[in-house]
């Protein structure tokens, strides 16, 4: 059975090119397309595709925010960022939003399909050129104050992490941030995944190490 795909790209000519390209691969079926982030959310919720190819520079709602919302609403759907941008901060922000891969638009059709197959298999894919940039950034700055891990967290996740480290339970965190208990649990699960933490105690240790707790 072919995998379903949604294309999110604001330029008509690029979307048409992607449709033509993927049309040569029977393993994929395009079920929807959107020129902006708002429409992308509606189409993804309607079709629940296996994978979304997501441009990052979009009107109404940018790509990183759209990725975050897609991952929140449709956890099963994989999202592959397809962009021309190489800026470190955007790469970190995109991965933080939940993207399963980051691919540059100058790749060949075979590489794009390889990237799609990789993320569909449950692994991450980052263009080699982007991997080199991230490695260079790490070597240039070292671990900095957070080893870049804090850069992978959203503002809300940092708030939750800080409150966890200060000893607040899920109910108290939910009340303080005006979110549901279930949302708190989801943020904590995302924090453990992004930080490689196996327990709440390890989250607390990370927060203390990086100065996120209140100073007595």
């Amino acid at each position: 059975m072919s995998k379903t795909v949604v294309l999110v790209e604001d330029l008509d000519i690029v979307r048409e090119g992607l449709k033509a390209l993927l049309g040569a691969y029977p393993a994929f079926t395009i079920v929807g397309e959107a020129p902006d982030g708002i429409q992308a959310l509606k189409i993804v919720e309607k079709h629940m595709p296996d994978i979304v190819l997501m441009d990052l520079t979009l009107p109404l709602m940018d790509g990183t925010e759209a990725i975050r919302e897609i991952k929140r609403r449709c956890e099963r759907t994989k999202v592959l960022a397809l962009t021309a941008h190489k800026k470190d901060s955007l790469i970190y922000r995109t991965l933080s939003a939940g993207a399963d891969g980051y691919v540059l638009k100058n790749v060949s059709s075979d590489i794009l399909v390889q990237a799609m197959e990789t993320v569909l298999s449950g692994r991450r894919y980052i263009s080699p050129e982007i991997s080199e940039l991230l490695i260079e950034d790490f070597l240039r700055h070292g671990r900095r104050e957070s080893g870049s891990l804090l850069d992978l967290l959203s503002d809300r996740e940092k708030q939750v992490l800080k409150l966890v480290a200060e000893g607040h339970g899920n109910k108290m965190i939910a009340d303080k941030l005006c979110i549901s208990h279930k949302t708190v649990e989801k943020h904590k699960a995302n924090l453990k995944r992004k930080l490689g933490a196996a327990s709440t105690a390890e989250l607390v240790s990370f927060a203390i190490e990086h100065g996120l707790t209140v100073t007595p």
Side-chain angles (χ1 to χ4, degrees), residues 86-128:
K86 305 177 185 178
K87 190 175 181 180
D88 291 348
S89 59
L90 180 59
I91 297 168
Y92 287 127
R93 194 162 70 248
T94 301
L95 296 176
S96 172
D100 299 284
Y102 197 104
V103 179
L104 296 177
K105 287 183 176 179
N106 62 359
V107 300
S108 66
S109 58
D110 288 343
I111 294 298
L112 175 59
V113 168
Q114 178 186 343
M116 294 171 68
E117 291 173 340
T118 297
V119 300
L120 284 166
S121 73
R123 293 175 291 147
R124 293 187 183 276
Y125 185 95
I126 298 178
S127 287

Side-chain angles (χ1 to χ4, degrees), residues 122-146:
R123 293 175 291 147
R124 293 187 183 276
Y125 185 95
I126 298 178
S127 287
E129 187 176 346
I130 295 300
S131 295
E132 290 178 7
L133 287 173
L134 295 178
I135 292 171
E136 289 174 2
D137 178 63
F138 178 83
L139 293 175
R140 186 167 57 249
H141 297 103
R143 289 188 174 273
R144 291 181 285 188
E145 64 181 21
S146 62

Side-chain angles (χ1 to χ4, degrees), residues 49-65:
D50 294 303
I51 186 169
V52 176
L53 295 187
M54 175 72 71
D55 186 25
L56 298 180
T57 307
L58 298 169
L60 303 183
M61 175 187 286
D62 69 26
T64 55
E65 185 59 31

